[in-house]
């Protein structure tokens, strides 16, 4: 994909998230893109991201769902406000709660596809549902309650 | 602590979990110990395990809760059966669902303490609740539904 990912619009100095921060060289660098009314993210786990031999670690799956959902929330809120990505600061969302149902073991050695949908949007709160698939089969499903960060939180913590 | 952790009793050849496998050199090597009727795990995040500058990544918190809970489940079931760790194979549990409430930002640069409690034990299923604290303050709370792995799953996947 040639367009920039949602996470590429986060301001550089706070883009240190281990899951999706472009300024974190150690992290997963998760990237979220819009496709119609859904968001999509694709991720190839490393060979050592195992739970058991042959299967992906559940904590990585939770991490992918978390960052894909907060990226979806931030950009969906931005779009709701009628703005085009890149024209104004993309305000960050944090996770208030994360729920993951592991439906089947997720095979390692293939690209995982995450799809996000907005379930609820009310004020500072967004609820995002995410599915995770491997080889076309859904193996995990998540729901994230995300809250827009208070304006003074990041300035106090830079 | 001098005693062995729960995870040290997992058979070597399948102890490849990125979160808690002693045979995974790339992973977090999470360790769970019993203290009375609770389990405890202590973990010092790396400086790059950030969400925002100064705070721990939520996906790492989810991972710590997940592995501490499945370790708690496996060893609790073992103890329920009247066995002493090390006398028989410790059967593994997998995560059916993971829920995390993020109560407050978790400061980085300090040891995190997780405490696990058995909420429910019924057949192959255990429900484990976990608290996570930093500097004595609870910043996250989790609940994990864990299921004992079918006997033939690991032998088929070695």
């Amino acid at each position: 994909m040639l367009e920039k990912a949602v996470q590429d619009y986060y301001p550089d100095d706070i883009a240190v998230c281990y899951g999706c921060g472009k300024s974190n060289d150690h992290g997963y660098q998760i990237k979220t893109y819009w496709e119609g009314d859904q968001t999509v993210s694709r991720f190839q786990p490393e060979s050592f991201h195992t739970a058991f031999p042959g299967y992906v670690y559940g904590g990585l799956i939770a991490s992918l769902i978390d960052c894909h959902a907060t990226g979806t929330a931030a950009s969906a809120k931005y779009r709701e406000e009628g703005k085009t990505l890149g024209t104004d600061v993309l305000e960050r969302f944090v996770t208030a709660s994360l729920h993951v149902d592991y439906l089947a073991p997720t095979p390692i050695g293939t690209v995982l596809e995450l799809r996000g949908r907005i379930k609820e949007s009310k004020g500072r709160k967004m609820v995002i549902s995410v599915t995770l698939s491997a080889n076309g089969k859904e193996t995990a499903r998540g729901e994230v309650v995300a809250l827009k960060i208070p304006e003074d939180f990041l300035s106090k913590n830079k």
Side-chain angles (χ1 to χ4, degrees), chain A:
Chain A
M1 282 177 255
L2 294 174
E3 83 267 36
K4 284 169 74 174
V6 168
Q7 289 84 2
D8 293 332
Y9 292 99
Y10 291 154
D12 288 358
D13 57 343
I14 57 162
V16 299
C17 178
Y18 187 71
C20 65
K22 65 178 180 293
S23 307
N24 190 330
D25 294 333
H26 296 89
Y28 301 137
Q29 303 257 350
I30 296 163
K31 303 287 186 194
T32 294
Y33 301 89
W34 281 88
E35 284 186 13
D37 63 350
Q38 295 182 11
T39 51
V40 64
S41 180
R42 294 183 179 90
F43 188 87
Q44 168 93 53
E46 302 285 346
S47 60
F48 50 79
H49 283 141
T50 35
F52 296 98
Y55 295 101
V56 178
Y57 174 49
L60 174 65
I61 289 171
S63 299
L64 297 174
I65 288 172
D66 185 13
C67 282
H68 184 56
T70 50
T72 299
S75 52
K77 182 62 72 179
Y78 195 90
R79 285 159 59 118
E80 266 184 21
E81 293 167 356
K83 295 185 278 195
T84 305
L85 278 171
T87 55
D88 201 355
V89 172
L90 182 59
E91 292 180 278
R92 301 289 295 267
F93 274 64
V94 288
T95 307
S97 73
L98 166 68
H99 185 91
V100 181
D101 289 313
Y102 297 92
L103 308 174
T106 300
I108 205 160
T110 186
V111 173
L112 307 180
E113 182 177 283
L114 297 109
R115 290 199 167 263
R117 292 169 189 81
I118 303 157
K119 189 173 172 186
E120 186 187 327
S121 171
K122 194 174 177 188
R124 305 182 77 84
K125 175 185 169 187
M126 297 204 87
V127 183
I128 308 294
S129 59
V130 177
T131 60
L132 182 143
S133 304
N135 300 328
K137 181 186 173 191
E138 188 180 332
T139 58
R141 196 175 296 167
E143 187 167 295
V144 169
V145 178
L147 298 175
K148 193 194 272 194
I149 295 183
E151 279 72 12
D152 62 346
F153 176 80
L154 290 172
S155 58
K156 280 193 297 190
N157 288 287
K158 270 188 189 175

